Amino acid sequence: MKTLSTLTITPAGATLNGTLLAEAGITGLYRRFVGDYPKFFKMDHLCKLGLLGAELLLKDFTPEEKERGAVVIFNRSGSLDADRHYQSTLAADNYFPSPALFVYTLANIVTGEIAIRHKIYGETSFYIMDARDDTAMQCILDSTLLTSDPSFILTGWIEYAGEDDYIADMKIMIQE
Amino acid sequence: MDNTQIYKLSDNIISPLGMTAGDNLAAVLAGQSRLCLHHGLYDLPEDFCGSVLQREEVDGLFAAECGSGDYTFFERLCILSAARAIRQGGVDPTRRDVLFVLSSTKGNVACLADDPMDERCYIAGSAMRVAQFFGNPNEPIVASNACISGVCAQIAAVRQLLAGRYRTAVVTGCDTLSRFIISGFQSFKALSTSPCRPYDRDRTGLNLGEAAGTIILRTGGEADVDAGLWQFRACSIHNDANHISGPSRTGEGSYRVLRDILDRVPAGQLACVCTHGTATAYNDEMESIALHRAGLDTVPVCGLKGYYGHTLGAAGIVETIISMAALEQGVIPATRGYRAQGTTYALNLSDAVRRTDRLGFIKILSGFGGSNAGIAYVKGGRA
């Protein structure tokens, strides 16, 4: 497989193919590069990061190409940030579980949010690793092609640990 | 790769219905279930109907077969189930060509209640502890794709075997119930307070259940086909691109999964499609549309949630194993809880066990995130 383009989002901003696009936080990047998708504000941080990355990486793809695309995301913590948030609503003396929070306690929701935004009907997969291992991630991506034929794979490592500590390191790969 | 066959070597199910795949099949064919109403469990303010494991029983078996060690209940279940399948298959788990794959939606999430920073909540850590229990030297793969995880984990294993990277894959699926998980489904108003009724006119929602299942897959050649083993035939994963918590009204992702699989497995080989069949209004309706669009209206359908509830990360594995075990006996399990057509398109459902002489099936699942997955197995040689 070959890499078409790369994108990294950290608290320092967004970098596309090695060029700094913007020095802004998550909301700042949304306002600058998306702006018309109010659902964004309901999402957890994992989904926001994935959605921003997809927005910047998929802008040159046609609807036909996107329909046959795949989204494969990796991280260490799954949806733990959203899990902790939801857990805080379950105290005996302050019990108010809500579906709007609970739905984000599934790691793969980020792949679904990206698929919905871009009308991607191909494979969406989420894998959790004990530590980032680019070789193991590439093995999984390569083996994906053994039983499917996507027009591209939007992939990456997305981890949110706090407003000063997050990364979406994403790329678009295509078959050679 | 062309001559590589992937077949099922051995399996196990740990559930409230039994501690082996055989025990589970016997209970399913006898129409049994441990679904019942739980009052005050996990200190939940609302009752729920679920299928809950007896912890003392699991702990007793674990102590007898796996010894001691600082493992959570979730990890003990994974280890016990894998250990039983490994023993049955005669697998040496310390070999470098053995891969462990874990399917779980929430792992040790129950630990968050006592400590929001509890390190045990990292699911890959659990997968490592399970693999290391067996002395396995490889990094396990963890598939976490909500309700479809159990099929995704099998697919991840199949791909690694096809790539020739490993010879054997130990694929375990497990989730346990907790205040976290039950409260979430209750907040969605998705749970029925009585045993669920997949596809039935009067269905009122799903039940949740606990289980662990392990399926061990191995690469082989033509000789294994002749030996009459269950072979992997096809798989597919598609997104609905529609909604994160509701299925597509056109069954788009599920339909595309079925279409991909039918390209490789003729419908005439299928004894049945073992569906997701959660007994929510939307899921079952969606599946009826997808099956209709795929031209599978007449193929027998069976749903197993009436026996186990929805076992989340275990569902895809437990339900695959039950499908195999039933077809080996020449029968399709009854869809427990189903009585009368409750979907737009009529499906070939039955509340009775049916005979079949076919030895192929598709297992499909759909879930949150708009995800859909399917896998097909066919039994080689003579039954």
Side-chain angles (χ1 to χ4, degrees):
Chain A
M1 297 179 85
K2 69 175 180 189
T3 301
L4 273 192
S5 49
T6 62
L7 175 89
T8 305
I9 298 171
T10 68
T15 301
L16 182 65
N17 296 321
T19 305
L20 183 68
L21 282 184
E23 292 180 48
I26 290 173
T27 306
L29 292 175
Y30 167 81
R31 297 212 188 282
R32 174 128 178 225
F33 297 110
V34 188
D36 63 344
Y37 203 58
K39 265 205 288 186
F40 183 83
F41 294 101
K42 293 184 181 175
M43 295 178 192
D44 76 331
H45 296 106
L46 190 64
C47 290
K48 284 179 176 173
L49 285 167
L51 196 100
L52 286 171
E55 201 74 12
L56 290 165
L57 284 168
L58 292 174
K59 58 185 187 300
D60 296 329
F61 285 83
T62 65
E64 292 72 27
E65 287 168 329
K66 289 205 248 188
E67 181 188 339
R68 290 184 46 242
V71 182
V72 182
I73 304 294
F74 301 84
N75 82 359
R76 172 166 185 258
S77 66
S79 58
L80 197 47
D81 177 60
D83 295 354
R84 289 181 182 130
H85 189 187
Y86 177 75
Q87 180 70 46
S88 73
T89 69
L90 300 182
D93 54 356
N94 197 15
Y95 183 83
F96 56 101
S98 97
L101 285 185
F102 182 66
V103 71
Y104 289 105
T105 69
L106 291 163
N108 67 311
I109 297 298
V110 59
T111 66
E113 291 284 19
I114 292 169
I116 292 165
R117 171 70 171 163
H118 295 279
K119 293 288 157 210
I120 295 170
Y121 290 90
E123 171 166 340
T124 50
S125 286
F126 198 102
Y127 296 98
I128 298 178
M129 304 181 122
D130 195 46
R132 179 169 170 170
D133 178 342
D134 286 356
T135 307
M137 286 156 64
Q138 191 58 48
C139 284
I140 288 175
L141 296 173
D142 288 339
S143 75
T144 296
L145 303 179
L146 294 174
T147 66
S148 67
D149 185 26
S151 51
F152 61 78
I153 300 181
L154 170 63
T155 185
W157 177 272
I158 308 179
E159 192 68 78
Y160 183 90
E163 60 183 285
D164 299 320
D165 183 8
Y166 56 82
I167 186 167
D169 198 7
M170 300 171 69
K171 59 186 173 181
I172 295 276
M173 303 195 79
I174 56 166
Q175 302 181 54
E176 288 189 77
Chain B
M1 177 191 147
D2 285 344
N3 293 321
T4 305
Q5 304 289 339
I6 293 172
Y7 62 91
K8 187 198 75 170
L9 180 68
S10 59
D11 56 23
N12 168 265
I13 299 172
I14 303 286
S15 86
L17 289 180
M19 299 295 169
T20 67
D23 290 349
N24 273 270
L25 179 69
V28 164
L29 295 183
Q32 295 170 5
S33 171
R34 296 285 178 275
L35 286 168
C36 64
L37 199 64
H38 293 274
H39 176 74
L41 191 56
Y42 315 124
D43 292 320
L44 285 159
E46 277 178 69
D47 295 352
F48 74 96
C49 178
S51 170
V52 180
L53 280 159
Q54 298 296 321
R55 298 206 171 200
E56 311 70 43
E57 189 183 358
V58 172
D59 290 349
L61 283 177
F62 184 87
E65 298 178 23
C66 306
S68 56
D70 186 19
Y71 298 105
T72 63
F73 181 60
F74 166 74
E75 290 159 1
R76 290 197 294 279
L77 277 171
C78 293
I79 291 170
L80 181 62
S81 178
R84 289 186 152 209
I86 283 168
R87 197 181 329 133
Q88 186 193 73
V91 173
D92 175 0
T94 66
R95 287 175 60 114
R96 191 154 282 282
D97 62 3
V98 176
L99 170 70
F100 279 69
V101 183
L102 178 66
S103 157
S104 185
T105 66
K106 295 309 311 162
N108 284 325
V109 76
C111 295
L112 277 183
D114 295 326
D115 176 7
M117 304 313 286
D118 195 323
E119 285 283 318
R120 292 175 299 180
C121 293
Y122 292 88
I123 298 181
S126 289
M128 296 282 279
R129 284 188 284 280
V130 172
Q132 284 166 2
F133 172 87
F134 293 101
N136 184 261
N138 300 308
E139 177 97 14
I141 290 179
V142 179
S144 194
N145 287 297
C147 310
I148 73 165
S149 302
V151 167
C152 291
Q154 292 177 64
I155 293 173
V158 160
R159 288 169 173 172
Q160 294 298 315
L161 296 176
L162 284 175
R165 211 165 282 127
Y166 302 95
R167 179 166 170 256
T168 307
V170 179
V171 189
T172 298
C174 184
D175 269 299
T176 57
L177 296 181
S178 61
R179 182 177 177 84
F180 187 104
I181 288 173
I182 304 284
S183 64
F185 279 90
Q186 283 178 332
S187 77
F188 261 105
K189 311 285 179 209
L191 298 188
S192 169
T193 51
S194 52
C196 68
R197 320 227 7 214
Y199 304 100
D200 189 73
R201 199 175 49 198
D202 300 324
R203 66 187 182 275
T204 55
L206 61 80
N207 307 136
L208 292 167
E210 292 184 312
T214 300
I215 184 163
I216 300 187
L217 300 174
R218 176 167 276 180
T219 53
E222 293 297 326
D224 301 305
V225 180
D226 296 338
L229 298 167
W230 283 100
Q231 288 173 264
F232 161 80
R233 271 300 165 79
C235 64
S236 179
I237 303 172
H238 281 284
N239 202 284
D240 287 331
N242 176 62
H243 198 280
I244 53 169
S245 59
S248 158
R249 288 188 190 282
T250 58
E252 195 59 39
S254 183
Y255 161 67
R256 289 179 188 228
V257 162
L258 290 167
R259 191 184 60 185
D260 281 357
I261 290 175
L262 291 171
D263 279 347
R264 291 174 178 272
V265 184
Q269 278 196 345
L270 298 174
C272 65
V273 181
C274 182
T275 52
H276 196 33
T278 58
T280 63
Y282 291 120
N283 174 81
D284 294 5
E285 173 68 7
M286 179 280 288
E287 286 191 299
S288 88
I289 294 167
L291 287 158
H292 171 74
R293 288 181 66 194
L296 292 170
D297 309 70
T298 58
V299 172
V301 165
C302 75
L304 300 171
K305 302 292 192 289
Y307 304 95
Y308 293 103
H310 186 348
T311 56
L312 304 173
I317 294 172
V318 167
E319 294 171 14
T320 295
I321 296 169
I322 291 292
S323 299
M324 290 174 170
L327 296 185
E328 280 172 15
Q329 296 198 3
V331 295
I332 299 164
T335 298
R336 188 177 191 272
Y338 173 77
R339 272 205 295 260
Q341 182 183 338
T343 53
T344 299
Y345 295 99
L347 299 176
N348 186 350
L349 285 154
S350 173
D351 60 353
V353 175
R354 292 178 279 181
R355 295 219 58 89
T356 180
D357 55 6
R358 294 185 183 179
L359 286 165
F361 69 95
I362 304 174
K363 173 65 217 155
I364 54 169
L365 294 173
S366 299
F368 281 162
S371 51
N372 302 269
I375 193 163
Y377 289 90
V378 171
K379 194 169 187 290
R382 226 158 278 283

